[in-house]
Amino acid sequence: LAPWNGGAIYVAAADVLVDECFITHCRASVRGGGLSFAGGGESVVRGTTMRYNHSGGIYTGDGGGAIHVDGAATRVTVEDCSIKLNSAAVSGGGIASNQAQVGVRGSAVALNQAGYSGGGLFALTGTLEVFDCVLGDNWAALGGGLAADGLVTVTVTHTVFGGNQAS
């Protein structure tokens, strides 16, 4: 259990490539059960499998069971990844972004859950682009597959949503 952010990897103001990795059973008490990016930089997560990761937190911007991205100068691209069976106490069971720029391409985001918002994906201000993905069987109180809150620009293209639940 990471005491704050980034159960497996924490990145602050750096450019990082996470390529063809397997990140599983990692935990963070606040943000990014698997990976946490903050403070700027342009990073890529490619061909990576993320399973059974968990983040805690108490505020809407906390979370990201698998991945959390924070800060206006932080850009992360997630491509050709499998993000499944992750959870967040608050937001973004799969991926959560807070005032950041996030792109998700060619990825499966499924079977994730969040206690509050965005079972699969969550964005609080910033930019979220989703292209050619599958978002399925995710769960949250608000936005089972995807939730956006605040001044956020979301673009979803060529993406399948199925079996997501909000309750």
Side-chain angles (χ1 to χ4, degrees):
L1 172 66
W4 295 102
N5 303 330
I9 300 172
Y10 176 72
V11 177
D15 299 340
V16 172
L17 171 62
V18 178
D19 195 16
E20 297 186 16
C21 294
F22 190 77
I23 300 170
T24 183
H25 291 92
C26 297
R27 299 174 66 85
S29 60
V30 181
R31 296 177 173 177
L35 305 171
S36 181
F37 300 89
E42 293 191 21
S43 296
V44 176
V45 181
R46 180 186 312 130
T48 294
T49 298
M50 303 187 76
R51 301 268 194 285
Y52 301 107
N53 300 292
H54 176 78
S55 65
I58 58 172
Y59 301 107
T60 304
D62 294 338
I67 300 171
H68 188 277
V69 185
D70 188 60
T74 309
R75 175 186 291 272
V76 173
T77 301
V78 176
E79 55 189 35
D80 302 321
C81 291
S82 177
I83 299 171
K84 298 180 179 178
L85 298 164
N86 301 286
S87 61
V90 185
S91 300
I95 300 172
S97 67
N98 182 18
Q99 301 177 347
Q101 301 170 56
V102 176
V104 184
R105 296 180 178 90
S107 297
V109 180
L111 301 164
N112 302 291
Q113 57 182 284
Y116 177 62
S117 192
L121 304 173
F122 174 76
L124 178 64
T125 69
T127 302
L128 174 63
E129 296 177 355
V130 182
F131 177 78
D132 195 28
C133 292
V134 174
L135 277 76
D137 298 311
N138 298 290
W139 178 91
L142 302 170
L146 183 153
D149 191 359
L151 300 173
V152 61
T153 301
V154 177
T155 305
V156 179
T157 311
H158 299 289
T159 293
V160 175
F161 288 82
N164 299 291
Q165 297 181 39
S167 60

